[in-house]
Amino acid sequence: MPIRYFMAILAFCGIFTTTNAQASLKLPATIKVDPAALEFEPMCDPKIPASWRKAQVIEGVQIEASEQCSPDNPYLIAAVVKGTNNISMNTLMETGLSPDAVIKTDDIDGDGDPDRITIKLEVIELNGRTPDFEGLVPQFEIAPGITPGAWVFAPKTSGMSTENFESLRANYLLRLPSPVIRVEVGDIVQIVVENTHYFPHTIHLHGVDHPFSHHEYNGGKYGNDGVPQFSELDLMPGQRRVYEFQARQPGTMFYHCHVQTHTHLAMGLAGMIIIEENRPNNWLQTLNVGGGKVRHPSVAVKEHYDQEYDLHYHAMDKELTQIIQKYNDPRLIAREMNRRYDMTDSTEDYFTLNGLSFPYTLRESMIIAEPDQKIKLRMLNSGGELVAIHTHGHHATITHYDGTEHNPMAWITRDVFDMAPAQRLDLLLDTTNDGLHSYGEGAWLFHDHREKGITTDGMSEGGSMSMIAYKSYLDEVGMPIAAHGTDLSIYFTKEYYQRKLPIWQHMDEAGFLGPPGVRSGFNPETKATMINLLGGFIAGILIYLLITRRQNASAAMASIAAKIKGLKGGKANG
Ligand SMILES: [Cu+2]
């Protein structure tokens, strides 16, 4: 290599490296996010009266206490235990249910409880787009500021889909997930779907003993299995269909829409359906809308357990959920969702337990335990991937797979519970402190152990994470008490889930881990690097000229120097 090239490159690299090393030493200042600028939500839903937490009797129905800070509406529980046809108008008005939402009649076997059960469901869109204004309606947040578009089966209501004219928040009955349905072996059950949506839907009763064809309708030609290609036609918008069955076997089962199932199920048209064992005077909580604790368990469950919870795990792909937020035209939504959206490229972003993600799971979906209890957990995975639910501090026992009792001699006790899509597990959670079933009292996490299962849109802390919280570890409003007095309030801000809050700022007095200073344009290092590059380039050219044109060097330098800075080229010398 000629010396002139070598020297030019050497000069360029030397200047660049030296000045860039200096620039990289200058770190930006830490700028703290001002806590006063954040919008902290109350940890408990302020619209839910504290009196709902107590054990109470409404319409003669015994309702167990729920220590959650946002417990389920006890009037709703009374209404769905007695039937909306068997309660006072006052109680009905407290529920928001339509008077024909749950009709219970006819004690056919004479054992003291109604055996003909009619449940009316509508199809509701949550967080969808409206042409009338900016924003989503009706709004249902799974976590602060997180509003995936969704569809659910919902009990038939009598009011508006929003709370009132001022609030866009969804009526409390319209929420994820679709409600748990609970009936008894031998009940003649009619699920009436009124398609209040702009797309066709059906209901498939997965695992529930049901006849393939419908005996009472259309000369037995009407299907009952919910599969449009084989058992029936799609239930078109505005149509109504009755699904009828009389189950012979008990178990924790599953129902979901079977129209374009890959998208409709993922959008939320999926729920648990539980067939209870037949017992005398077995008035069941026919719908479980909300946090999962069964506040009026069946006779058979009470024979063996102190408490019961319905735990429905679901996951949603952000890209899919946003389709109904981009378009309001059913033709465009149908094209996007079922022709352009590719399920094989999908990624699940939102992981929910009973329709909510952390921290809202702490409001209503915790398992609240006391020592020496036997707690029945019924779990469903309606997401598209396997989940791995882990119980901190406890080993629980699987008693049923997919609603079928496992041989008690071969029951398996473990601390991670894998559930494939559509699977159900019934667990016995024993809180005896023996070092195996329980390690003692605490506020123990209860979460999907896939790492993404504890994230919301890829960010921790989130996902379907909940707790097994002992009563001694709850504060007066029903929130878990952290051992070090950790402040959970940052999770109750939209800013946290908008990624605006640094993870450890609130603990970091030294400012090592706060957010780096905000800059506009190029950051100082980049700017310095670019100036240095330019300087090095100019210097390289000068050196090149000095070497190659010695004879003209003085003149050239003087000329360039004069042009650039008006300096005299005294130093330039060949
Ligand atoms: Cu559907």
PDB file of all heavy atoms in Angstrom, residues 361-372:
ATOM      1  N   THR A 361     -56.107  -9.440  38.287  1.00  0.00           N
ATOM      2  CA  THR A 361     -56.351 -10.765  38.865  1.00  0.00           C
ATOM      3  C   THR A 361     -56.352 -10.696  40.394  1.00  0.00           C
ATOM      4  O   THR A 361     -57.025 -11.485  41.044  1.00  0.00           O
ATOM      5  CB  THR A 361     -55.269 -11.756  38.412  1.00  0.00           C
ATOM      6  OG1 THR A 361     -54.001 -11.119  38.536  1.00  0.00           O
ATOM      7  CG2 THR A 361     -55.469 -12.188  36.970  1.00  0.00           C
ATOM      8  N   LEU A 362     -55.598  -9.727  40.946  1.00  0.00           N
ATOM      9  CA  LEU A 362     -55.558  -9.608  42.412  1.00  0.00           C
ATOM     10  C   LEU A 362     -56.873  -9.055  42.958  1.00  0.00           C
ATOM     11  O   LEU A 362     -57.171  -9.196  44.133  1.00  0.00           O
ATOM     12  CB  LEU A 362     -54.413  -8.692  42.858  1.00  0.00           C
ATOM     13  CG  LEU A 362     -53.004  -9.072  42.407  1.00  0.00           C
ATOM     14  CD1 LEU A 362     -51.987  -8.105  42.993  1.00  0.00           C
ATOM     15  CD2 LEU A 362     -52.670 -10.508  42.819  1.00  0.00           C
ATOM     16  N   ARG A 363     -57.642  -8.378  42.098  1.00  0.00           N
ATOM     17  CA  ARG A 363     -58.912  -7.830  42.559  1.00  0.00           C
ATOM     18  C   ARG A 363     -59.955  -8.913  42.789  1.00  0.00           C
ATOM     19  O   ARG A 363     -60.783  -8.808  43.667  1.00  0.00           O
ATOM     20  CB  ARG A 363     -59.485  -6.866  41.507  1.00  0.00           C
ATOM     21  CG  ARG A 363     -58.804  -5.534  41.444  1.00  0.00           C
ATOM     22  CD  ARG A 363     -59.490  -4.659  40.398  1.00  0.00           C
ATOM     23  NE  ARG A 363     -58.992  -3.293  40.486  1.00  0.00           N
ATOM     24  CZ  ARG A 363     -59.380  -2.312  39.660  1.00  0.00           C
ATOM     25  NH1 ARG A 363     -60.245  -2.562  38.698  1.00  0.00           N
ATOM     26  NH2 ARG A 363     -58.908  -1.099  39.808  1.00  0.00           N
ATOM     27  N   GLU A 364     -59.946  -9.937  41.923  1.00  0.00           N
ATOM     28  CA  GLU A 364     -61.087 -10.867  41.995  1.00  0.00           C
ATOM     29  C   GLU A 364     -60.760 -12.315  41.684  1.00  0.00           C
ATOM     30  O   GLU A 364     -61.637 -13.147  41.818  1.00  0.00           O
ATOM     31  CB  GLU A 364     -62.195 -10.382  41.048  1.00  0.00           C
ATOM     32  CG  GLU A 364     -61.719 -10.171  39.613  1.00  0.00           C
ATOM     33  CD  GLU A 364     -62.877 -10.009  38.633  1.00  0.00           C
ATOM     34  OE1 GLU A 364     -63.609  -9.023  38.779  1.00  0.00           O
ATOM     35  OE2 GLU A 364     -63.028 -10.871  37.759  1.00  0.00           O
ATOM     36  N   SER A 365     -59.556 -12.630  41.244  1.00  0.00           N
ATOM     37  CA  SER A 365     -59.305 -14.017  40.830  1.00  0.00           C
ATOM     38  C   SER A 365     -58.273 -14.731  41.690  1.00  0.00           C
ATOM     39  O   SER A 365     -57.626 -15.662  41.231  1.00  0.00           O
ATOM     40  CB  SER A 365     -58.865 -14.047  39.356  1.00  0.00           C
ATOM     41  OG  SER A 365     -59.918 -13.632  38.538  1.00  0.00           O
ATOM     42  N   MET A 366     -58.130 -14.294  42.938  1.00  0.00           N
ATOM     43  CA  MET A 366     -57.219 -15.018  43.825  1.00  0.00           C
ATOM     44  C   MET A 366     -57.967 -16.188  44.473  1.00  0.00           C
ATOM     45  O   MET A 366     -59.179 -16.139  44.648  1.00  0.00           O
ATOM     46  CB  MET A 366     -56.703 -14.089  44.929  1.00  0.00           C
ATOM     47  CG  MET A 366     -55.772 -13.018  44.427  1.00  0.00           C
ATOM     48  SD  MET A 366     -54.925 -12.189  45.786  1.00  0.00           S
ATOM     49  CE  MET A 366     -56.287 -11.416  46.647  1.00  0.00           C
ATOM     50  N   ILE A 367     -57.178 -17.205  44.846  1.00  0.00           N
ATOM     51  CA  ILE A 367     -57.724 -18.276  45.677  1.00  0.00           C
ATOM     52  C   ILE A 367     -57.431 -17.862  47.110  1.00  0.00           C
ATOM     53  O   ILE A 367     -56.263 -17.686  47.479  1.00  0.00           O
ATOM     54  CB  ILE A 367     -57.054 -19.617  45.345  1.00  0.00           C
ATOM     55  CG1 ILE A 367     -57.427 -20.003  43.921  1.00  0.00           C
ATOM     56  CG2 ILE A 367     -57.458 -20.689  46.337  1.00  0.00           C
ATOM     57  CD1 ILE A 367     -56.476 -20.974  43.302  1.00  0.00           C
ATOM     58  N   ILE A 368     -58.472 -17.649  47.871  1.00  0.00           N
ATOM     59  CA  ILE A 368     -58.260 -17.156  49.238  1.00  0.00           C
ATOM     60  C   ILE A 368     -58.473 -18.318  50.199  1.00  0.00           C
ATOM     61  O   ILE A 368     -59.568 -18.871  50.295  1.00  0.00           O
ATOM     62  CB  ILE A 368     -59.181 -15.955  49.510  1.00  0.00           C
ATOM     63  CG1 ILE A 368     -58.745 -14.831  48.566  1.00  0.00           C
ATOM     64  CG2 ILE A 368     -59.080 -15.554  50.972  1.00  0.00           C
ATOM     65  CD1 ILE A 368     -59.516 -13.578  48.671  1.00  0.00           C
ATOM     66  N   ALA A 369     -57.381 -18.684  50.842  1.00  0.00           N
ATOM     67  CA  ALA A 369     -57.359 -19.936  51.596  1.00  0.00           C
ATOM     68  C   ALA A 369     -57.260 -19.698  53.096  1.00  0.00           C
ATOM     69  O   ALA A 369     -56.861 -18.626  53.550  1.00  0.00           O
ATOM     70  CB  ALA A 369     -56.162 -20.777  51.134  1.00  0.00           C
ATOM     71  N   GLU A 370     -57.616 -20.732  53.820  1.00  0.00           N
ATOM     72  CA  GLU A 370     -57.326 -20.801  55.250  1.00  0.00           C
ATOM     73  C   GLU A 370     -56.633 -22.145  55.476  1.00  0.00           C
ATOM     74  O   GLU A 370     -56.763 -23.055  54.649  1.00  0.00           O
ATOM     75  CB  GLU A 370     -58.620 -20.716  56.064  1.00  0.00           C
ATOM     76  CG  GLU A 370     -59.245 -19.337  56.029  1.00  0.00           C
ATOM     77  CD  GLU A 370     -60.441 -19.228  56.947  1.00  0.00           C
ATOM     78  OE1 GLU A 370     -60.245 -18.957  58.137  1.00  0.00           O
ATOM     79  OE2 GLU A 370     -61.555 -19.432  56.463  1.00  0.00           O
ATOM     80  N   PRO A 371     -55.902 -22.279  56.581  1.00  0.00           N
ATOM     81  CA  PRO A 371     -55.218 -23.557  56.820  1.00  0.00           C
ATOM     82  C   PRO A 371     -56.219 -24.704  56.941  1.00  0.00           C
ATOM     83  O   PRO A 371     -57.365 -24.504  57.356  1.00  0.00           O
ATOM     84  CB  PRO A 371     -54.483 -23.326  58.154  1.00  0.00           C
ATOM     85  CG  PRO A 371     -54.384 -21.840  58.289  1.00  0.00           C
ATOM     86  CD  PRO A 371     -55.599 -21.281  57.625  1.00  0.00           C
ATOM     87  N   ASP A 372     -55.758 -25.888  56.577  1.00  0.00           N
ATOM     88  CA  ASP A 372     -56.525 -27.131  56.729  1.00  0.00           C
ATOM     89  C   ASP A 372     -57.840 -27.137  55.951  1.00  0.00           C
ATOM     90  O   ASP A 372     -58.839 -27.675  56.409  1.00  0.00           O
ATOM     91  CB  ASP A 372     -56.790 -27.420  58.220  1.00  0.00           C
ATOM     92  CG  ASP A 372     -55.499 -27.474  59.011  1.00  0.00           C
ATOM     93  OD1 ASP A 372     -54.539 -28.113  58.524  1.00  0.00           O
ATOM     94  OD2 ASP A 372     -55.426 -26.846  60.085  1.00  0.00           O
TER      95      ASP A 372
END
